[in-house]
Amino acid sequence: MLKDVTASHNLTTAANKPPPLFSRLGAFLLTIGMVLAFFISQLLGVYIAGTLVLPAHKASTASDIFFFGSNDGTVVSLSIMIGCVLLVAISVLVIRLRGGRVRQYLALKPFSFAVGMGMFGLLLLFMIISQALTYWFDETPLVFVDPLYQSVSSVWLLVVAMVIVAPLYEELIFRGVLWSAISEQYTPQAASEHRGAIVASLVTSLIFAVIHVQYGIYEVSTIVVLALIFCYARVKSGSLLLPMLLHVINNGAAMWQYLAQAA
């Protein structure tokens, strides 16, 4: 009898669940396309910002722009903002072309204060453990920021780009578009109704870690754990806004620590 009730509940849930925007092949192609769009938007951002900011002798050719621009704090900061605009536009366009509602598909809705505090506590625990391990292994994960900090026209420009803008569009892509596209491939009739969330979290977290090419193996491994925390926040709250906020807090804490040491 209990099994019949459970089966009936799963059928009702499946009936109420909107059809997936993407097929499995579509989700696979979307993942590849969004990762490519991520890198292309970064390169395009560096090129546009480089032509506007770099002096003439450093922007004479495209290769010069990429070489000098990738180590210039002002260029990189502006490129992050340009990339954000491009990726947001692409994400919205893709969802609308598939007939989806952007706010609903990306779970852009309020979250519970209690859940938010609980996830903040989990993030804080991660940050403490990560900091202890970083000190123990004598790692310097933010060393790539040095040339950016030394060359940026305004430190606040770098802070806004890396602490606020970058987390927003990274979450939009990985815990938003890609997470939704992968998780929607699984229905409540599956062996585990949480399978979609688990698969989506593992896939997007691994990709998210790998694209951070500026880091070493130790840093990439911690990013995987951090990304899984963001995914858990996405599942627990049912909202993309919570992982966005946690990402901003994490980057803000890291930047505050860097600036305190650099001062």
Side-chain angles (χ1 to χ4, degrees):
M1 182 66 180
L2 180 60
K3 290 183 178 180
D4 292 340
V5 173
T6 302
S8 176
H9 171 73
N10 287 341
L11 288 173
T12 303
T13 303
N16 294 333
K17 184 179 179 181
L21 287 191
F22 301 93
S23 64
R24 292 204 170 185
L25 176 60
F28 174 74
L29 295 176
L30 176 68
T31 301
I32 295 176
M34 292 306 293
V35 171
L36 288 175
F38 183 89
F39 284 111
I40 292 173
S41 68
Q42 300 298 308
L43 292 174
L44 188 58
V46 169
Y47 182 81
I48 295 174
T51 57
L52 297 174
V53 174
L54 292 175
H57 70 280
K58 290 185 177 181
S60 56
T61 65
S63 59
D64 288 336
I65 293 175
F66 290 124
F67 178 78
F68 292 108
S70 60
N71 290 294
D72 185 280
T74 303
V75 172
V76 170
S77 298
L78 293 176
S79 72
I80 290 174
M81 297 177 182
I82 294 171
C84 178
V85 173
L86 293 174
L87 289 172
V88 169
I90 292 172
S91 300
V92 171
L93 180 62
V94 168
I95 294 172
R96 287 185 173 176
L97 285 176
R98 298 298 300 175
R101 297 181 179 179
V102 175
R103 291 177 64 88
Q104 180 182 11
Y105 196 72
L106 297 178
L108 297 174
K109 58 185 179 180
F111 55 86
S112 163
F113 177 77
V115 172
M117 291 304 297
M119 291 307 307
F120 174 74
L122 181 60
L123 176 64
L124 185 61
L125 178 62
F126 164 81
M127 292 167 64
I128 293 172
I129 296 175
S130 177
Q131 183 61 34
L133 291 175
T134 299
Y135 177 79
W136 179 268
F137 292 115
D138 193 26
E139 296 285 345
T140 53
L142 293 180
V143 66
F144 75 94
V145 180
D146 288 342
L148 305 181
Y149 173 73
Q150 294 165 5
S151 59
V152 72
S153 59
S154 170
V155 174
W156 285 108
L157 178 64
L158 185 64
V159 169
V160 170
M162 298 188 70
V163 174
I164 299 177
V165 179
L168 293 183
Y169 74 74
E170 288 178 351
E171 291 306 308
L172 178 73
I173 298 300
F174 294 97
R175 260 67 63 182
V177 177
L178 296 185
W179 195 94
S180 296
I182 296 172
S183 64
E184 71 179 0
Q185 304 302 318
Y186 299 83
T187 66
Q189 288 104 325
S192 169
E193 65 181 72
H194 301 297
R195 183 180 298 175
I198 293 172
V199 172
S201 298
L202 290 174
V203 172
T204 57
S205 295
L206 290 173
I207 296 175
F208 179 71
V210 170
I211 66 167
H212 285 77
V213 294
Q214 69 270 36
Y215 293 116
I217 296 177
Y218 166 76
E219 291 82 6
V220 168
S221 63
T222 61
I223 290 175
V224 171
V225 178
L226 182 63
L228 288 173
I229 292 175
F230 295 154
C231 288
Y232 183 58
R234 167 76 168 78
V235 175
K236 192 73 173 175
S237 66
S239 172
L240 182 62
L241 299 181
L242 181 55
M244 281 181 171
L245 177 60
L246 295 177
H247 200 154
V248 169
I249 292 172
N250 177 78
N251 282 25
M255 180 60 74
W256 174 81
Q257 182 182 20
Y258 175 83
L259 293 177
Q261 294 174 348

